[in-house]
C-alpha cells in the first residue's frame, strides 16, 4: 500500500501512519526490484509445480514432487514442495472413497492376504479386478492383473461388451505366459468373489503352482491395493491424460499402462515407479 501511495504522499508520513520503519520499507522495495537467487528459485519452482499440476491435477504435492524429480532430476524436500503448492493454491482434485464394513469370509477360496503373506519378490502374489468406464457413450470393461510386490500391471484386457468373461481369461493367459519365465516362484492369485473369478471354467485354467485366494464378500478393502489402483486409473485417465476417444481406446489404455509401469511414481514404493523398483532390487 505504501508503494502505491508513495507517489501522492511522503514516504515518511506513510511509514509513520502504518508504524513501519523507513529502512524496512526501502529494503522491501529493493528486494522487489532485485530479488535474491533464493527468491527467484522459489518463483521458478512454483511455476514448475503449476505446470505439473495442470498436467496431473488429480495428485497432491508429494506425488508432483516425485514426478518432477523423475522427469527433471530436480530434488526438493516434501515440506518445500508443500510450501510451493500452498503458495500457488495447488490442491489435488481427486475424490476419496470410504468403504463399508467387512463381509463374510469367502466360501470358495480362503483369503490368504489376511494370513500375513510374506512377499519379497516378483510374481509371488498377483491381485486382479475389473473396472468399468464410459468413453464417448461407449461402455468399456478393463481387467487388470497387478504384481503386489512392485505394483506393476503385468497383464490387462479391454472389452466394450458388458460382462465379457474373455477379458478375465485373456488377461490370465497373458499372466501365465509371464509366469512360465519364472518357475522358481509359487504364485498366489487374489481376486474378489465375482462370478467369473469364482467360475470352474476360470479356475480350471490355473496350473498347480498357482494358489487361489479371495476377498470376503462385499469387502473391497481385502483387495485394497487393486481397488485403489482402479480408482486412480479412472481419475488419471480422464483428469490427467484426457482420454477422449479421438484415437482407439485400446491404444490409449496401452499407453496408460506403459505410463503407469514406467513413468508414474508410486507412494507405496517410496515414489519409485514399478520399473525403477524392479531394477533397483534386481541389481
Amino acid at each position: 500500500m505504501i508503494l502505491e501511495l508513495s507517489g501522492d504522499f511522503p514516504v515518511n508520513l506513510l511509514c509513520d501512519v502504518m508504524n513501519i520503519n523507513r529502512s524496512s520499507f526501502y529494503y522491501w522495495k529493493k528486494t522487489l526490484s532485485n530479488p535474491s537467487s533464493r527468491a527467484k528459485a522459489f518463483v521458478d519452482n512454483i511455476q514448475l509445480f503449476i505446470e505439473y499440476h495442470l498436467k496431473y491435477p488429480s495428485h497432491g504435492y508429494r506425488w508432483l514432487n516425485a514426478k518432477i524429480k523423475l522427469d527433471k532430476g530436480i530434488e526438493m524436500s516434501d515440506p518445500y514442495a508443500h510450501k510451493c503448492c500452498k503458495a500457488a493454491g495447488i490442491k489435488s482434485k481427486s475424490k476419496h472413497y470410504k468403504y463399508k464394513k467387512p463381509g463374510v469370509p469367502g466360501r470358495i477360496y480362503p483369503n490368504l492376504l489376511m494370513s500375513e503373506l510374506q512377499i519379497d519378490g516378483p510374481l509371488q502374489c498377483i491381485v486382479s479386478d475389473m473396472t468399468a468406464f464410459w468413453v464417448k457413450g461407449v461402455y468399456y470393461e478393463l481387467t487388470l492383473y497387478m504384481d503386489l510386490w512392485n505394483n506393476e500391471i503385468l497383464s490387462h484386457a479391454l472389452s466394450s461388451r458388458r460382462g465379457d468373461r474373455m477379458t478375465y481369461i485373456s488377461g490370465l493367459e497373458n499372466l501365465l505366459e509371464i509366469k512360465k519365465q519364472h518357475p522358481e516362484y509359487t504364485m498366489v492369485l487374489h481376486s474378489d468373489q465375482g462370478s467369473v473369478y469364482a467360475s470352474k471354467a476360470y479356475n480350471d485354467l490355473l496350473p498347480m503352482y498357482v494358489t487361489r485366494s479371495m476377498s470376503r464378500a462385499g469387502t473391497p478393502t481385502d483387495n485394497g491395493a487393486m481397488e485403489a489402483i482402479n480408482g486412480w486409473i479412472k481419475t488419471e485417465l480422464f483428469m490427467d491424460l484426457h482420454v477422449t476417444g479421438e484415437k482407439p481406446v485400446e491404444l490409449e489404455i496401452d499407453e496408460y499402462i506403459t505410463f503407469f509401469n514406467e513413468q508414474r511414481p508410486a507412494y507405496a514404493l517410496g515414489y519409485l515407479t514399478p520399473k525403477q523398483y524392479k531394477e533397483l532390487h534386481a541389481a
Side-chain angles (χ1 to χ4, degrees):
M1 182 180 292
I2 295 179
L3 189 62
E4 297 173 355
L5 298 175
S6 60
D8 301 321
F9 300 95
V11 171
N12 290 351
L13 176 61
L14 293 173
C15 289
D16 290 341
V17 171
M18 301 191 69
N19 195 26
I20 296 174
N21 291 328
R22 282 184 300 162
S23 59
S24 299
F25 167 71
Y26 285 117
Y27 176 80
W28 172 79
K29 184 178 179 181
K30 181 180 178 181
T31 59
L32 284 182
S33 56
N34 297 290
S36 65
S37 57
R38 184 177 180 180
K40 290 179 181 178
F42 183 58
V43 172
D44 290 342
N45 289 328
I46 289 175
Q47 187 58 44
L48 187 58
F49 275 98
I50 292 174
E51 175 189 335
Y52 270 74
H53 174 65
L54 292 174
K55 191 173 182 181
Y56 305 106
S58 68
H59 291 282
Y61 72 91
R62 288 189 179 90
W63 190 93
L64 293 176
N65 189 26
K67 183 63 173 167
I68 289 171
K69 179 182 177 181
L70 178 65
D71 292 352
K72 306 284 188 180
I74 301 174
E75 294 196 32
M76 293 174 276
S77 67
D78 281 345
Y80 181 79
H82 179 263
K83 182 179 179 181
C84 291
C85 289
K86 186 176 181 179
I90 292 173
K91 291 183 179 180
S92 167
K93 295 184 179 180
S94 65
K95 295 180 180 179
H96 300 278
Y97 299 92
K98 293 183 179 180
Y99 294 113
K100 58 184 180 180
K101 293 181 180 179
V104 298
R107 299 178 180 176
I108 304 173
Y109 297 103
N111 186 343
L112 298 180
L113 294 188
M114 296 183 65
S115 62
E116 298 184 358
L117 185 67
Q118 297 296 318
I119 303 172
D120 54 14
L123 295 171
Q124 294 180 5
C125 184
I126 307 300
V127 290
S128 181
D129 199 8
M130 185 275 288
T131 188
F133 53 88
W134 295 79
V135 178
K136 298 184 73 172
V138 178
Y139 175 85
Y140 290 93
E141 291 184 352
L142 174 65
T143 301
L144 302 168
Y145 290 85
M146 186 180 78
D147 192 333
L148 205 55
W149 175 64
N150 70 333
N151 285 9
E152 180 181 4
I153 297 176
L154 297 175
S155 177
H156 69 282
L158 181 73
S159 176
S160 58
R161 291 174 52 200
R162 188 181 292 270
D164 187 357
R165 61 187 288 115
M166 290 310 298
T167 62
Y168 300 82
I169 303 297
S170 176
L172 177 61
E173 290 174 342
N174 293 337
L175 173 66
L176 293 178
E177 286 299 317
I178 296 173
K179 176 64 179 71
K180 288 179 181 179
Q181 303 172 22
H182 300 276
E184 67 273 20
Y185 295 119
T186 299
M187 178 191 293
V188 171
L189 175 59
H190 182 87
S191 69
D192 58 27
Q193 297 189 42
S195 59
V196 177
Y197 288 125
S199 69
K200 185 176 184 299
Y202 180 87
N203 288 284
D204 281 350
L205 294 173
L206 298 175
M208 293 295 293
Y209 54 75
V210 176
T211 304
R212 284 294 272 121
S213 170
M214 277 189 168
S215 301
R216 290 168 291 180
T219 313
T221 49
D222 281 0
N223 198 2
M226 192 75 259
E227 293 288 343
I229 294 305
N230 278 343
W232 276 115
I233 281 176
K234 286 189 279 192
T235 298
E236 292 176 340
L237 279 175
F238 300 105
M239 187 178 292
D240 297 347
L241 304 184
H242 307 295
V243 171
T244 61
E246 297 301 322
K247 57 183 179 180
V249 176
E250 293 82 359
L251 178 59
E252 293 187 297
I253 293 298
D254 289 344
E255 291 175 348
Y256 174 78
I257 298 300
T258 299
F259 165 79
F260 184 94
N261 287 335
E262 300 181 7
Q263 303 169 26
R264 180 187 184 274
Y267 169 77
L269 305 177
Y271 289 111
L272 296 175
T273 67
K275 180 181 179 182
Q276 286 178 320
Y277 189 86
K278 179 189 286 185
E279 291 174 346
L280 177 65
H281 287 268

